[in-house]
Amino acid sequence: MKNKGCSSSPGKKERLRKPFLWIVIALWVFLPACKGGGSSGLQPSQPPVVATSMNWSSPQYFTDTSPLVPATDLSLFEIYIKQDSSFGPADNPVATTMPTTNFFDFRTLVPPLSKGVIYYASVRAVTTDNVKSDFSACVSFSLP
């Protein structure tokens, strides 16, 4: 199930595949858990991961399957974090990273996130032409 308003018209080379989002603990753990943004409309069946950072895989192809080179085709990644699991076009990123960075430490946010609160995170890739990907599947987490 897609979140209305999250995708642009199909078939354009500028459209990106969704970045893959991962939460880092001792191992890399993936928990699809959100309404909208990702392909799952389900709420998490497991408790959120206790984590202090996340990482993701860069998209490797545009939606027309032509190759995408993150270092030259992307301008940045946008990081979205909030307490609601629905991500949409009205949401603003809480941080950005360089296109060659696939890691974000939640502890660097100002103001800081609260410990023990359940948050949801998603990532969007942005091309050098300022075209945004769909939201990645989001994950739930809380700070220790």
Side-chain angles (χ1 to χ4, degrees), residues 88-110:
D91 292 322
N92 294 313
V94 296
T96 59
T97 67
M98 300 301 293
T100 53
T101 302
N102 297 79
F103 176 83
F104 184 75
D105 187 332
F106 300 133
R107 297 169 296 183
T108 64
L109 287 173
V110 176

Side-chain angles (χ1 to χ4, degrees), residues 55 114 116:
N55 90 331
S114 299

Side-chain angles (χ1 to χ4, degrees), residues 13 15 30 45 117 129 138 143:
K13 181 175 180 176
R15 260 190 82 213
F30 179 74
S45 58
V117 174
D129 294 329
C138 67
L143 294 177

Side-chain angles (χ1 to χ4, degrees), residues 115-140:
K115 293 180 179 181
V117 174
I118 297 173
Y119 293 101
Y120 297 88
S122 186
V123 176
R124 290 177 92 178
V126 181
T127 67
T128 54
D129 294 329
N130 205 32
V131 176
K132 296 181 180 187
S133 72
D134 290 342
F135 288 92
S136 68
C138 67
V139 294
S140 61

Side-chain angles (χ1 to χ4, degrees), residues 28-63:
W28 306 96
V29 178
F30 179 74
L31 297 175
C34 302
K35 303 180 242 173
S39 58
S40 171
L42 304 175
Q43 288 297 318
S45 58
Q46 300 176 4
V49 172
V50 175
T52 57
S53 61
M54 68 179 177
N55 90 331
W56 57 91
S57 298
S58 298
Q60 299 299 308
Y61 300 94
F62 288 96
T63 55

